Amino acid sequence: MSALYSVVSGVSFYVPEKIVTNEDLTRVMDTTDTWIQERTGIRERRIADVNTSTSDLGTLAARKVLEKCGKTPRDLDLLVAATLSPDYYFPGIGVQMQNALGASCIPALDVRGQCSGFAWSIATADALLRTGNYRCALVVGAEIHSRVIEFSNRGRNVSVLFGDGAGAMLLERGKENEPPTSHNKVRGVIDSLMGCDGSGAEFLAVKRPGTARGFKEFISPEEAEKKAYLPYMEGQQVFRHAVTRMLEAAQTILKRNGLKAQDIDLVIPHQANIRINETVREKLELAPEKVFNTIERYGNTTAATLPIGMTEAEERGILKPGALVLTLAFGSGFTWGANLIRW
Ligand code: UT7
């Protein structure tokens, strides 16, 4: 009998066609291409049109990965989706994608891990596949940030960072007799790590609408008028914690699998700021080519950054079957996560 574990069968992504460059942003707010590139590494991002929802982007990415793997939605028996920008407050995008894809009446979970959402979703799907109750899981990360941020001076510290997009991964039950470990060559998810420190929730959040203490209404007309639903972010706090936690996550997962950073073939980190990733890379003493970044062209697509990175790394021939991959993520919450995968 084969061991219970999961294998990455494929990964794909979909981004809207419309490109918004840093130069475009200088027309609507006081910013410069130089400021954005030097502080973040971003040159451009994608923006979805008004007739596209987050679950639509997720569905498009999902269809691409299903086609790539020669599967149909009816082959799925689990869907795990991550987003912080759902179509509706409830239900989540998982159920909407189940319907849009025409999948069977499978469980469709939404994972609320923000920028760690995809790493947490891999961990969740992998754990469920290891129960033996599921065989074929679709993992999706999708975001439309452009409708939740303000393209003006007030929002410029946040709005220049984010982009719209979606990515999808197919995880299937493995067929080997032994599960993947850091020391054999079996393809699959070896280990995942998830963590959070909720005392960081105040540093990066959309606090309204909601049921927070002291507010009579989910959102009042006055609050809506003032756009109280825009994200609040203390960038330097987020930056500092991101470096610490991504590094810690890497060191913990490496150590418990008997690995050194240099044993990893490719790190696919979340894309929030090129300087965060460079600092983590330097502290791990990794060569530049061991860390794959896509922030330059897509900005921070939150739950979609990891599958976008994986797909592009594959398409450029940098990520090959058999490679030992480490994902690293950090986001609002604060949340963090890592996955160790034999590709
Ligand atoms: O996935 C998790 C999501 N978020 C993050 O990981 C964000 C982490 N934080 C960061 O990436 C950085 O903190 C930012 C890129 C957001 C900001 O960079 P910073 O080096 O921390 O800049 P700062 O906030 O200290 O601001 C420096 C200056 C300020 O002006 P003064 O006070 O020095 O005159 C800001 O008002 O830059 C100004 N500023 C801008 N200038 C031009 C803020 N946003 C902009 C902008 N264009 N878009």
Side-chain angles (χ1 to χ4, degrees), residues 1-5 7 173-180 186-187:
M1 201 181 117
S2 56
L4 290 174
Y5 65 96
V7 182
R173 190 192 286 182
K175 295 193 172 83
E176 301 298 327
N177 292 333
E178 54 174 341
V186 176
R187 292 185 55 238

Side-chain angles (χ1 to χ4, degrees), residues 182-257:
S182 50
H183 296 292
N184 66 21
K185 295 285 175 198
V186 176
R187 292 185 55 238
V189 178
I190 297 167
D191 192 10
S192 291
L193 175 152
M194 296 187 275
C196 99
D197 173 6
S199 69
E202 301 299 312
F203 294 120
L204 175 53
V206 169
K207 297 183 185 174
R208 309 292 298 143
T211 57
R213 281 191 295 274
F215 294 94
K216 252 185 171 164
E217 291 177 84
F218 193 49
I219 189 162
S220 68
E222 295 76 29
E223 286 179 295
E225 178 72 24
K226 282 191 220 148
K227 299 191 177 175
Y229 48 79
L230 296 172
Y232 171 78
M233 182 176 80
E234 289 185 36
Q236 290 187 3
Q237 287 281 1
V238 180
F239 191 107
R240 201 163 53 80
H241 284 88
V243 170
T244 308
R245 295 303 190 177
M246 284 168 82
L247 184 64
E248 240 176 53
Q251 288 166 338
T252 306
I253 200 165
L254 288 169
K255 189 167 174 214
R256 75 186 186 197
N257 286 281

Side-chain angles (χ1 to χ4, degrees), residues 25 29-32 35-36 39-40 114-116 153 155-162 204 233-240 242 270-276 300 302 330-332 334:
L25 293 179
M29 64 181 83
D30 292 334
T31 193
T32 61
W35 192 96
I36 301 171
R39 301 271 175 149
T40 72
Q114 296 66 251
C115 293
S116 309
N153 283 344
R156 70 178 182 167
N157 66 322
V158 175
S159 49
V160 301
L161 306 178
F162 292 96
L204 175 53
M233 182 176 80
E234 289 185 36
Q236 290 187 3
Q237 287 281 1
V238 180
F239 191 107
R240 201 163 53 80
H270 172 54
Q271 304 291 304
N273 189 316
I274 196 74
R275 291 185 295 130
I276 294 176
N300 182 351
T302 301
F330 177 86
S332 158
F334 293 129

Side-chain angles (χ1 to χ4, degrees), residues 12-216:
S12 287
F13 75 95
Y14 176 85
V15 286
E17 273 171 32
K18 186 176 178 193
I19 296 173
V20 172
T21 64
N22 293 345
E23 211 53 52
D24 294 331
L25 293 179
T26 66
R27 290 182 207 112
V28 290
M29 64 181 83
D30 292 334
T31 193
T32 61
D33 178 45
T34 310
W35 192 96
I36 301 171
Q37 280 203 50
E38 282 179 359
R39 301 271 175 149
T40 72
I42 301 166
R43 278 175 193 268
E44 59 188 43
R45 71 285 294 141
R46 303 297 179 102
I47 301 290
D49 71 68
V50 70
N51 293 316
T52 305
S53 70
T54 298
S55 70
D56 290 337
L57 291 184
T59 303
L60 286 160
R63 288 209 179 103
K64 283 176 85 171
V65 78
L66 286 168
E67 195 184 327
K68 195 170 173 179
C69 298
K71 298 274 180 192
T72 75
R74 291 271 156 182
D75 294 319
L76 300 172
D77 53 15
L78 176 66
L79 198 166
V80 183
T83 188
L84 59 65
S85 50
D87 302 16
Y88 301 153
Y89 186 79
F90 77 84
I93 61 164
V95 296
Q96 286 176 320
M97 284 190 288
Q98 177 273 336
N99 182 44
L101 287 167
S104 314
C105 294
I106 57 173
L109 290 65
D110 270 44
V111 167
R112 297 192 63 170
Q114 296 66 251
C115 293
S116 309
F118 202 82
W120 284 18
S121 295
I122 293 176
T124 305
D126 175 57
L128 287 167
L129 284 160
R130 283 175 191 262
T131 65
N133 291 333
Y134 303 96
R135 286 184 171 275
C136 187
L138 178 66
V139 181
V140 178
E143 307 285 355
I144 293 189
H145 286 301
S146 56
R147 280 173 224 155
V148 198
I149 52 184
E150 188 173 44
F151 293 98
S152 73
N153 283 344
R154 180 169 67 157
R156 70 178 182 167
N157 66 322
V158 175
S159 49
V160 301
L161 306 178
F162 292 96
D164 302 341
M169 172 187 275
L170 204 67
L171 270 181
E172 289 187 81
R173 190 192 286 182
K175 295 193 172 83
E176 301 298 327
N177 292 333
E178 54 174 341
T181 71
S182 50
H183 296 292
N184 66 21
K185 295 285 175 198
V186 176
R187 292 185 55 238
V189 178
I190 297 167
D191 192 10
S192 291
L193 175 152
M194 296 187 275
C196 99
D197 173 6
S199 69
E202 301 299 312
F203 294 120
L204 175 53
V206 169
K207 297 183 185 174
R208 309 292 298 143
T211 57
R213 281 191 295 274
F215 294 94
K216 252 185 171 164

